[in-house]
Amino acid sequence: MGLSDLLELELLSQQTSGRRRGCVLRASAGRGRQRPPTPVGLWKLRERVHCPRPNTTKTMKAIIQRVTKATVTVGGEEISSIGRGLCVLLGISVEDTQKDADYLVRKILNLRLFEDENGRAWSKSVMDRDFEVLCVSQFTLQCILKANKPDFHSAMPAELAQPFYNSILENMRSTYKPELIKDGKFGAYMQVHIQNDGPVTIELMSPSGPTDPKQLSKQEKQQQRKEKTRSKGPSESSREKVASRSRQDPNASSGADGDVSSERET
């Protein structure tokens, strides 16, 4: 097989992989004098790859700010305010589920962003200190830039997001004290005044699991193996260890108990 045949095979394989990725691949070999082999491949190909934007998994996002005070104003009227506590800007994506909401609620209420009674930093959560939480819906957190223009198609539509957002608030109130959970006005044009304390700002995203069926089945098999290992129990595994030791040393079984007890006593 000549060099030209090898070059043709490599070009064909790259074009095939490019079609699998949904890409348009154009490649051409260098003209004129042939170049020596490189570590990357037999020939150095000049490639131009045009791929669509990858379909990343969308997650619920929250920007959490530790504040000394925060207020929400709509049409010049103050509709909500808190003192010391957390101001949470929440962005819900089209793929979010109740599992994502539960995760973020648990994290928001248990993040240790405050000092304790002795002044030690990062020791207490908002629930530990009986501080307030102001939650504001903000779909712009789901922004995807197309050149310089923001695109918000990843955000959950308003008719679906509003009841979902209300359920998140109810979850917070049932977990914490209802009177300490405040919110803005969903879908309204708001002015949010935040006096950041620190400043301290934390970005949270709900964990994204694999969407590929092969990866999901692989995770299920791994989980099943873990459950089998747990169900085996420590007693059975310890008996196997003792049996293997006795096969290696026949005299070990006669005085094993006494040796172990004497070592523990010492």
Side-chain angles (χ1 to χ4, degrees):
M1 182 180 289
L3 294 178
S4 60
D5 296 328
L6 291 174
L7 177 59
E8 186 176 357
L9 285 174
E10 183 167 346
L11 178 59
L12 180 61
S13 66
Q14 293 200 20
Q15 287 175 340
T16 305
S17 63
R19 283 194 297 270
R20 289 176 182 173
R21 294 192 304 266
C23 304
V24 179
L25 173 64
R26 301 184 183 94
S28 60
R31 296 179 181 177
R33 185 172 59 85
Q34 294 179 350
R35 296 181 179 181
T38 63
V40 177
L42 181 62
W43 298 104
K44 186 177 180 180
L45 301 178
R46 294 195 303 269
E47 299 178 348
R48 289 183 300 168
V49 181
H50 305 279
C51 298
R53 184 180 295 274
N55 184 20
T56 55
T57 303
K58 304 169 184 63
T59 60
M60 189 180 293
K61 298 178 182 179
I63 301 297
I64 303 167
Q65 299 182 65
R66 188 180 72 183
V67 300
T68 52
K69 64 179 181 179
T71 61
V72 177
T73 304
V74 177
E77 179 185 356
E78 183 180 298
I79 64 169
S80 188
S81 66
I82 63 169
R84 197 168 183 207
L86 298 178
C87 181
V88 180
L89 307 177
L90 187 65
I92 304 172
S93 80
V94 292
E95 297 180 0
D96 288 335
T97 63
Q98 189 60 43
K99 185 177 180 181
D100 299 296
D102 293 342
Y103 173 84
L104 278 189
V105 168
R106 185 172 66 252
K107 282 293 183 182
I108 290 168
L109 296 179
N110 289 282
L111 278 175
R112 295 186 295 176
L113 302 181
F114 301 94
E115 71 281 356
D116 61 10
E117 295 77 7
N118 299 321
R120 187 176 62 177
W122 318 113
S123 300
K124 297 294 183 179
S125 68
V126 68
M127 291 197 300
D128 295 331
R129 297 298 305 271
D130 284 334
F131 289 156
E132 296 175 289
V133 178
L134 174 61
C135 193
V136 179
S137 176
Q138 188 174 0
F139 70 91
T140 58
L141 288 176
Q142 297 295 337
C143 167
I144 296 176
L145 287 179
K146 293 185 175 180
N148 292 324
K149 183 179 180 181
D151 182 275
F152 304 111
H153 284 92
S154 295
M156 184 177 289
E159 60 272 13
L160 299 176
Q162 185 168 8
F164 193 20
Y165 173 72
N166 291 335
S167 69
I168 294 173
L169 291 176
E170 290 303 318
N171 191 356
M172 282 190 181
R173 291 182 176 120
S174 62
T175 305
Y176 190 28
K177 297 178 180 179
E179 66 275 10
L180 297 182
I181 304 295
K182 309 291 181 62
D183 67 317
K185 187 175 181 181
F186 187 92
Y189 190 87
M190 295 176 279
Q191 285 78 44
V192 184
H193 303 274
I194 301 171
Q195 187 168 307
N196 199 312
D197 181 22
V200 174
T201 303
I202 306 294
E203 181 182 10
L204 273 182
M205 291 188 294
S206 59
S208 57
T211 57
D212 185 12
K214 292 183 179 180
Q215 292 182 353
L216 288 172
S217 62
K218 185 177 179 180
Q219 272 196 353
E220 290 176 359
K221 289 179 181 178
Q222 289 176 350
Q223 186 65 26
Q224 289 174 0
R225 283 197 292 268
K226 288 181 180 179
E227 290 176 356
K228 287 181 180 179
T229 305
R230 290 171 184 170
S231 62
K232 196 173 182 180
S235 58
E236 187 174 347
S237 60
S238 62
R239 285 196 298 269
E240 290 179 355
K241 290 180 181 179
V242 172
S244 62
R245 288 174 184 172
S246 62
R247 284 195 296 269
Q248 293 174 0
D249 187 4
N251 297 324
S253 59
S254 61
D257 296 335
D259 293 338
V260 170
S261 62
S262 62
E263 289 175 0
R264 289 176 180 172
E265 290 173 0
T266 58

